[in-house]
Amino acid sequence: MDRSGRLLERVGVPLAAVATLGLLVVMFFYPVGTVLAESVRVDGRFSLEIFREILASEFYFGTAAVALSDPAVLVRAFPDYRLGLFGFTAWQALLSTVASVVLGLPGAWILARFEFPGRRTVRSLTALPFVMPTIMVAIGFLATFGREGVVNQVLLAVGLPRLELLGTLQIIVLAHAFYDAPLIARITAAAWEGVDAGMPETARSLGASRLRAFRDVTLPQLLPAILTGALLTFIFSFMSFAIVLALGGLQKATIEVWVFHSVEQLEYGTAAGLAVLEIVFSLALTYAYLQYEARQRASSAARPPARKRLFGRLSADRLAVFAYGAVALVVFVVPIASMVLASLTGPEGFTLRNYAFLVERQAEAYDFQVKPLTAVQNSLLFGVGTLALAVPMGVLLAVVSTRGFRGRKLVDTLAMAPFAVSGVVVGLGLLRGLVFGFEAFGYRFTVSGALAIVGAHAVGAYPFVTRTVAPALAGIDDSMLESARSLGASRTRVLLDVELPIVVPGILAGMAFAFALSIGEFDSTVILATGGSEYTMPVAMNRFRGRRLGPATAMGCVLLAVTAVSFVLIDRLGDGRGLNG
Amino acid sequence: MGSLELEGVEKSFADTVALDGVTLSIEEGEFFTLVGPSGCGKTTTLRTIAGLEPPTSGTVRFDGADMTGVPVEERDVGIVFQNYALFPHMTVAENVAYGLKFADPPDGQTSDERVAELLDLVDLPGAGERDPDELSGGQQQRVALARALAPEPEILLLDEPMSALDARLRETLRRQVKTIQSELDVTTVYVTHDQEEALAISDRLAVMNGGRVEQVGTPQAIYERPATEFVASFVGENNLFSGTVTDRDGQAVTVDVGGVEFQVAAERAATGESSTADPPAVGESATFSVRPTALSVGGSTNGFEVVVETGEYLGETTRYYAGWGDRTVVFRTPEPGHEGRVSLGFDPAEARLLV
C-alpha cells in the first residue's frame, strides 16, 4: 500500500465530510440562520416584538390569541372559536391525515392480502406521488375539479349544477390525500406482510374468531405503521405549500402560504417570524416522528399472510375491492389524466397548440411576462446544476455515514436537518442571506438568483441521493473488501475499484431523484424567482394558472414525463430505495 | 376424548396435489409424529387437522365427530409453529393468557394462576412480565408451548417446533416436550423432517412422501421393518439391493443381484399397520435393504467382495464407503482401518424385502 493512498484514506473521508458540511453551511444553515436573526431584530436592534405581535394576533392564533388578554372570550365565543392561521394550518393537516388514512388503509389491505396481475407495479406506483411536482398535481386538480374541469363538464352534461370546489377545504384535503394515502397504504401493507400468518392462526386455535384474531393480534402490529404514516402525513400537510396556494388561495392560506405572501408584500420581518414559529413546530414534529420511528423494528414473517386471488367468484370482499378501485381511480388517476387531456384540447377540439406555445420565443412578450421557452431552459439548466452539486454531496455523505469515525453521528444529524425545514423557508433564507448580499472581510458579496435556486434545489435533493446510495454501500460484503485489500489494494483503491462500481446503479437512481426533485421544485424557487427572470416551469405554471390553464397543463405534462422516467430509473436501479418513507 | 381420524383426505392447491388420500387413526393420549422430507404433505396434514386448510375431499374426525366446516377456533386444538408466532406486542404472560379469554381455565383456576402454572411447567417461572423478544429461541418456543396448552386443548399440534433451534437445545427441549406430553396425556401430532427426532420422541409415526403415507408404526417397527424403498432409505442409513427372484421357499427368498445370489428373509412388512405382506414370486424383481451395521467383515453367509474407497471415523464405529461393481455399499464396524479388498456378508434375517 502506498503512503499517499493511506494518507488520502485517513484524511480524505473526513475532509470530504467537512467540505460537504461547509457547502451546507453556506447553502442552508447560514440562510436559515439569517431568517432566525431577522425575526428577533426590529430597526437593527434585538427585539421580540415580531413574535409578541404574531402570538397576540387574532388573525394568526384566532380565539386563543384573544384569550391571552381576555380569557373570558373562551366562554363568550363558545363553541364558535376562530382558528386563526396557525389553527387552520393544523386543522387542514389533521383532516388531510384522516382522509389519507381512510383512503390508504383499504389500499394496504388489498396490497397485502390480494393477488392480482400488476400487483407489484401498483405497489411500486404507490411511491410515485413522492417525486410528483406539487404544482403539477395542483394543476391536475384544477383540470379535474376547477370551474371548467372534467368533473363539472360531466355534471353539466347530465344536467346537474356546477360544483365550486376551488378555494374550499375539501379540495385541499383531497389533494393532500392524493399524496399521502399511497404512502400510508405502502407502509401499512409492508407491516401487514411482516405479521406472520402463524400469529392470527394461533389466536384462532386458542378460540378467537377471525375478526377477534385480527383485532387482537394483527391490528396492534399494524398500528405503529399506521401511526408512522399518519405522523408523516401530518408533517407534510402542515408544511404543504403549492397545493394550498393553487387550490386554496389566500382565503384558505396556511402558514407557508402566508410566509410567501408576506415576502411578496416585502414584509420580511413578519415572514421571518412566521417562518421561525413554523420551524419550531416542524422540528418538534420531525423529532417526535424520528423518535417514534426509531422504536419500530422491521419484522419479516417466516410465512407472510396468504393472498387471495382478486379475480374469482364474486364475494363481499372482492366487491369491496372493486368499489375501492373506482374511488382510487377518481382520486389518483383522473387528476393526472385530466391534465393530459386538457393539454391536448382547446376550444377547437384536439390541438398541439399548448405544446407549440412552450417552444415559441414570444418575442412580442413584455419583460414582465413569462416566456415559456425561458422557463423550460431554466428548468433544465437548474436541474443539471443541482446534479453537479447534490450528487457529489450525497455520495460523500453516504460514504461518510457507512464509515466509523469520531463525530459521525453529528455529521449524520446535520446532514439530515434540511428534511425538517420547508422549501419556502429555505428560499426566504437564501433570498435574504445570499441574494440580497452579505458582508465579509470588508467586502460585500451577493449571489445570483440562479445560483441560489440551484443551492436550494441541491439542499432539497442530496438527502435522497444519500438515501439511495448508502444502503448499496452498506450492503457491500465486508469479506469482499477484505479480499480486495489482502490482494494489495489501498482503502482508496477498494473504494474506486470495488465499492463505487457496485453502487453506480444507486448513484444513477440518486441522480434521477435529484433531477426530478429539481425540475419539480416550486416552494423555494417561487420565492427566489420573484421579480426576476430565473423562473422555472413550475413557477411559470403557477403564473399561468389563473388565466391560461392550457400552457400550464402542457408544462405539467413535460414535468410528468420527466417524473415518470426518473421514477422508473429510481425504482429499477435503486430498488426503490429512498422512496420508502 | 382426544382421538383423531383422517379418512381419505386429499388436498390440492392451484396446480399441485399436496395430499393424495391420507388415512390415519390416532389414539387418545398418543404422541404421533408425521415425518418426511419437505413438500411431503406433513404440514398440510397438520393444518388440515387444525382446520386451517379445508381438505379438497375426505374427512377429519375428532372423537368420531366430523369436523368438516368447523373453524379452527372451535376445534379445541393447540398449535405451536416453527417460528413460535408469539404476539410481539404482548408480554409472555399475556401471550399465555390469550386463549383463556375464550375458555375458562380448568379446575376453577384464575387466569393468572393458570399462566403461572404453565410457565412453571415449561420451566420459565417468573418470565411472565418479559417481552417475547427478550427471550432466547428455546425460551420463546417454551412460551409458545405454554400458550398452546393453557386452555387444555384436546389435541396438541406441533409444526416443526424445534427446527429453528440448535442441535443440543433441540435434544433437551424434545425430552421436555415428551415429559410434559405424557404428564398431561394430551393427544399430540408432531410434524418434523428429522427422522432421528421422530424415532426418539414418538409413540407411533407415519412416514410421508409425495402427499401419501408410506408406512405407519412404532419407531421400532419402522426402523427394523421398513416396508418401502422410501422408508428404508429415509429412516436411518440403508443399503438397497435390487435384482430378480430366482428361488423362494417358506423362510427365504433368493435374489440375484448383478450375478450374485443373496438369501433374504421372506417376510415382508406391509405399508399399513398389518404386520406382513406376501413375498414376491420367482421371476419378479425385488428390492431389499440391509443396514450398514448388519454387514459384517469376513461374514460367510451372503458373502461378496467390495473395495473400500473411504472411511469416516465416528468414534464408536467407522463408516466405510466401498465400491461393489458400479454400486456403492456402506458398512459400519467398530474397528477402524479397513482398506482395499474386503469381503462382506450378512445374515438373511437382517435383510428386509421392500415394496
Side-chain angles (χ1 to χ4, degrees), chain A residues 177-249:
Chain A
F178 172 91
Y179 268 99
D180 296 319
L183 173 79
I184 287 181
R186 188 183 181 82
I187 301 178
T188 310
W192 208 322
E193 284 157 2
V195 178
D196 194 272
M199 291 184 193
E201 284 173 5
T202 306
R204 295 197 61 201
S205 75
L206 292 168
S209 66
R210 188 183 291 274
L211 204 66
R212 185 77 197 261
F214 175 78
R215 206 189 73 194
D216 288 352
V217 175
T218 308
L219 191 60
Q221 297 184 68
L222 301 186
L223 267 184
I226 300 171
L227 276 176
T228 304
L231 205 49
L232 266 182
T233 302
F234 189 86
I235 295 172
F236 290 158
S237 306
F238 192 86
M239 304 209 291
S240 156
F241 172 58
I243 298 271
V244 185
L245 180 72
L247 301 179

Side-chain angles (χ1 to χ4, degrees), chain B residues 283-334:
Chain B
E284 283 182 358
S285 62
T287 303
F288 63 91
S289 64
V290 183
R291 296 273 176 210
T293 44
L295 290 170
S296 56
V297 175
S300 54
T301 328
N302 287 326
F304 60 110
E305 198 168 74
V306 299
V307 180
V308 172
E309 285 159 1
T310 51
E312 291 173 344
Y313 178 68
L314 303 172
E316 280 173 45
T317 59
T318 299
R319 178 196 282 135
Y320 295 94
Y321 294 90
W324 181 48
D326 52 3
R327 298 177 174 81
T328 299
V329 172
V330 185
F331 67 97
R332 284 168 84 150
T333 64

Side-chain angles (χ1 to χ4, degrees), chain A residues 472-483 498 502:
Chain A
L473 269 180
I476 294 174
D477 193 1
D478 275 349
S479 62
M480 208 189 298
L481 307 183
E482 283 158 6
S483 346
V498 181
I502 292 176

Side-chain angles (χ1 to χ4, degrees), chain A residues 93-107:
Chain A
L94 184 69
L95 290 180
S96 301
T97 307
V98 171
S100 300
V101 170
V102 168
L103 203 57
L105 288 187

